[in-house]
């Protein structure tokens, strides 16, 4: 089992090393991750400039590659041959904040797993639901161990193509954790506010501010079960077709041509 570990927070992020350390218990690990923070960068394909990947050393002394592209670029490069040995699984994270509900198309962490799936390799995204405005050193231990447990189960039960697993872990100790629950994607409630200011030259600029997002607290969803103290595991499909609506709109009065 050859596992590619990447993230969207940059190759030096502590969540990446925590994930790498646990994934080494499952298989051989290669690391190719962005050279800076790409959080909330969405699904990117860099086509109009060269991409570079340079050798770096993680803080435990192990080798990695740092790339100046987005998380999805990192995965694409690795799977297209920058990492020579074929990759069996891509695991992305550990992101310090949850990626639930509508976050997933913004999330660099999740879109790295999407890129894996597009390239025919299973993808897993791992995020920690750290408390808002947390200023100390985050403890990734529960999230890393939980990610390993999910990956070990995934290896026993491979599923179809076009699907990734989106894992979110509550900020609890392993003892406090309630368990593991398969969930569906829930509903985020964003509280973005437009902040309008003037730069020193008198020109207006805009900043998306406001409070951190919340969500609809419903059991069975990523948001609800995560809040209730469970590791949330959502299977996410890249086929976003709304099949029920497709059947409905087939009955609309479409022009013949
Ligand atoms: Mn991030």
């Amino acid at each position: 089992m050859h596992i590619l570990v990447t993230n969207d927070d940059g190759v030096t992020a502590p969540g990446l090393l925590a994930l790498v350390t646990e994934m080494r218990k499952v298989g051989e690990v290669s690391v190719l991750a962005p050279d800076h923070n790409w959080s909330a960068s969405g699904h990117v394909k860099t086509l109009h400039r060269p991409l570079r990947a340079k050798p770096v050393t993680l803080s435990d002394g192990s080798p990695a590659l740092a790339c100046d592209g987005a998380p999805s670029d990192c995965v694409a490069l690795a799977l297209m041959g920058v990492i020579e040995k074929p990759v069996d699984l891509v695991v992305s994270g550990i992101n310090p904040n949850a990626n639930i509900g509508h976050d997933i198309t913004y999330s660099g962490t999740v879109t790295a797993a999407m890129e894996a799936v597009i390239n025919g390799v299973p993808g897993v995204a791992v995020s920690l639901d750290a408390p808002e405005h947390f200023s100390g050193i985050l403890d990734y231990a529960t999230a890393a161990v939980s990610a390993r447990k999910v990956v070990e189960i995934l290896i026993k039960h491979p599923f179809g193509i076009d699907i990734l697993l989106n894992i979110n872990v509550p900020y609890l100790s392993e003892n406090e954790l309630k368990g593991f629950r398969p969930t569906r994607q829930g509903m985020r409630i964003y509280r973005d506010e437009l902040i309008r200011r003037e730069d020193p030259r008198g020109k207006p600029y805009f900043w998306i501010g406001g409070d951190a997002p919340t969500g609809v607290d419903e059991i069975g969803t990523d948001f609800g079960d995560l809040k209730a103290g469970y590791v949330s595991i959502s299977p996410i499909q890249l086929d976003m077709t709304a099949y029920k609506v497709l059947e409905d709109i087939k009955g609309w009065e479409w022009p013949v041509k």
Side-chain angles (χ1 to χ4, degrees), residues 54 114 152 181 187 201 232:
K54 68 169 186 184
M114 287 181 181
E152 284 169 344
R181 274 195 178 160
M187 272 288 194
R201 292 180 184 166
S232 159

Side-chain angles (χ1 to χ4, degrees), residues 8-9 37-40 95-96 109:
D8 78 349
D9 303 304
N37 193 333
W38 282 79
S39 294
N95 197 65
T109 308

Side-chain angles (χ1 to χ4, degrees), residues 31-215:
V31 176
L32 199 166
D35 62 7
H36 67 273
N37 193 333
W38 282 79
S39 294
S41 64
H43 201 159
V44 174
K45 182 171 272 188
T46 298
L47 296 176
H48 301 291
R49 65 175 175 86
L51 290 167
R52 295 182 197 274
K54 68 169 186 184
V56 294
T57 306
L58 301 181
S59 59
D60 70 346
S62 62
L65 286 171
C67 173
D68 61 353
S72 40
D73 290 322
C74 293
V75 172
L77 290 190
L79 300 185
M80 287 192 291
V82 169
I83 290 182
E84 282 176 24
K85 187 171 178 182
V87 170
D88 304 303
L89 173 70
V90 174
V91 186
S92 172
I94 299 166
N95 197 65
N97 300 108
N99 278 306
I100 51 188
H102 297 140
D103 296 340
I104 62 172
T105 55
Y106 294 111
S107 165
T109 308
V110 178
T111 51
M114 287 181 181
E115 188 65 26
V117 168
I118 286 171
N119 286 277
V121 174
V124 176
V126 189
S127 305
L128 173 64
D129 190 21
E132 238 178 276
H133 310 303
F134 189 89
S135 59
I137 294 170
L138 283 174
D139 182 354
Y140 286 96
T142 304
V145 170
S146 299
R148 175 176 53 78
K149 288 177 177 173
V150 172
V151 164
E152 284 169 344
I153 292 169
L154 168 63
I155 291 166
K156 279 193 230 155
H157 303 275
F159 46 74
I161 53 168
D162 208 39
I163 309 278
L164 64 97
L165 285 188
N166 184 33
I167 306 173
N168 283 277
V169 184
Y171 196 64
L172 298 171
S173 69
E174 275 192 83
N175 282 340
E176 294 166 321
L177 208 59
K178 294 261 180 61
F180 289 69
R181 274 195 178 160
T183 56
R184 63 185 168 85
Q185 191 185 351
M187 272 288 194
R188 264 297 197 201
I189 300 168
Y190 293 107
R191 298 184 289 176
D192 297 342
E193 278 175 26
L194 184 67
I195 295 169
R196 189 190 309 252
R197 290 191 185 148
E198 254 183 28
D199 72 17
R201 292 180 184 166
K203 290 201 170 143
Y205 69 87
F206 304 97
W207 200 289
I208 299 172
D211 293 325
T214 173

